[in-house]
Each structure stands twice: as C-alpha cells, then as structure tokens.
Amino acid sequence: MLNLNGITVRLGGRTIIDGASAAIPPGSRVGLIGRNGAGKSTLVKVIAGEIDPDLGSAEMPRAARLGYIAQEAPAGSATPFETVLAADLERAALLAEAETCDDPERVGEIHERLIAIDAHAAPARAARILVGLGFDEAMQHQPLDSFSGGWRMRVALAALLFSAPDVLLLDE
C-alpha cells in the first residue's frame, strides 16, 4: 500500500502540489495525467524520495522495494547488458566482496546468499529482458552512447524490471 498524506510542495515560492492525498493498494496501476508544469514529475520525485515535501508524507511498507525511472536516459560506455546486471545491487556487492574477501567463513556466507538469490541465472535473465525489449545479441554488447535516447530508456526499463521492485515509478 502506497499512502500519500497531504503532500504540499512549493518551489520558488509557488505551490506546485497542494495537499495531495491518495491510498494506492498493492497491484494497482495508476497514471498521472495533466498539463506540463502541473506537478506530475514533482509528485513522482516525492514518492521516490528524491525531494522532500513541504508538508505531508509518502509512505509505503518498510520492506517494499521502489524502482524509479527518471526522464533522463542512461549514458556512458557500459553496455545494455552490463547496465542491466548492475541493477541488482545486492548481487553486484556480493560478487565484488567475494573477489577481495580473505575470511573463508564470510566467503561461504557470500556464496550461500548468491545461491539463495539465484545469482548464477542473472545473466540469462538480463539477456531475456533485453531481448523482450528489442535488443538482439549484438545490441546488448554495444556502448550505451551508441544508442538513441529512446533505446537508452529501454535499457533503463530493462534494468528496472531486472531489479524486480514492488513499486514501479515511471516518469514519462
């Protein structure tokens, strides 16, 4: 359940959102529609925790995982495949720790957790998601900077889907 409780946001002395409230049950799909400058992106940023409201709060269950895609597309020399794999922060952190860890007991714990989160299947899952969004094998291994903004936004969506959030926020 996502609860918006009397959210008010002021930017530059102008009230952008005034007392917005909503209770959104699990499994819901909600779209915000309005003219440019109406506060849609601002509300999404409040929910994502990127900005604090002047009044009110956005609350969801403590264990809920939030996934958010902003209006800016990812860029750089990383490939779509690398970008999607990196979206699983726990897997990436465990793999990095396993490479440098000297404590055999901790290494065992790391590998147990990697097995529990099915980390060995992550590359195949990432590739499947990318294929589903139109990326063939060759495209998956080209630098992000070689793609248009629309294709890079698909990579952002793939990364978000790969991380399997409980709440998905898509800003345009």
Side-chain angles (χ1 to χ4, degrees), residues 7-168:
I7 294 174
T8 296
V9 177
R10 294 179 190 92
L11 299 174
R14 182 174 161 238
T15 301
I16 304 297
I17 300 171
D18 190 13
S21 295
I24 302 169
S28 296
R29 292 183 174 107
V30 177
L32 296 176
I33 300 169
R35 61 177 169 55
N36 289 345
K40 301 178 299 292
S41 292
T42 300
L43 183 58
V44 168
K45 288 177 183 177
V46 168
I47 295 168
E50 285 197 355
I51 62 173
D52 293 322
D54 293 296
L55 295 172
S57 64
E59 300 167 356
M60 63 182 150
R62 189 170 289 215
R65 292 175 308 171
L66 178 77
Y68 171 57
I69 295 180
Q71 293 179 1
E72 300 82 31
S77 60
T79 67
F81 185 74
E82 292 166 341
T83 302
V84 171
L85 278 179
D88 186 342
L89 301 177
E90 180 183 16
R91 178 184 170 277
L94 288 169
L95 290 172
E97 184 181 355
E99 286 182 19
T100 60
C101 186
D102 293 330
D103 177 8
E105 187 173 319
R106 178 62 187 145
V107 170
E109 292 170 359
I110 291 168
H111 285 281
E112 282 179 15
R113 183 62 188 153
L114 288 168
I115 290 167
I117 64 172
D118 205 17
H120 72 283
R125 203 170 103 238
R128 269 194 318 276
I129 291 169
L130 284 164
V131 166
L133 291 172
F135 289 87
D136 64 25
E137 176 74 21
M139 292 172 73
Q140 292 182 31
H141 299 287
Q142 295 173 1
L144 287 173
D145 285 344
S146 69
F147 293 100
S148 69
W151 281 98
R152 288 185 284 130
M153 285 307 289
R154 288 183 190 202
V155 173
L157 180 59
L160 187 64
L161 294 172
F162 183 76
S163 68
D166 300 306
V167 176
L168 216 80

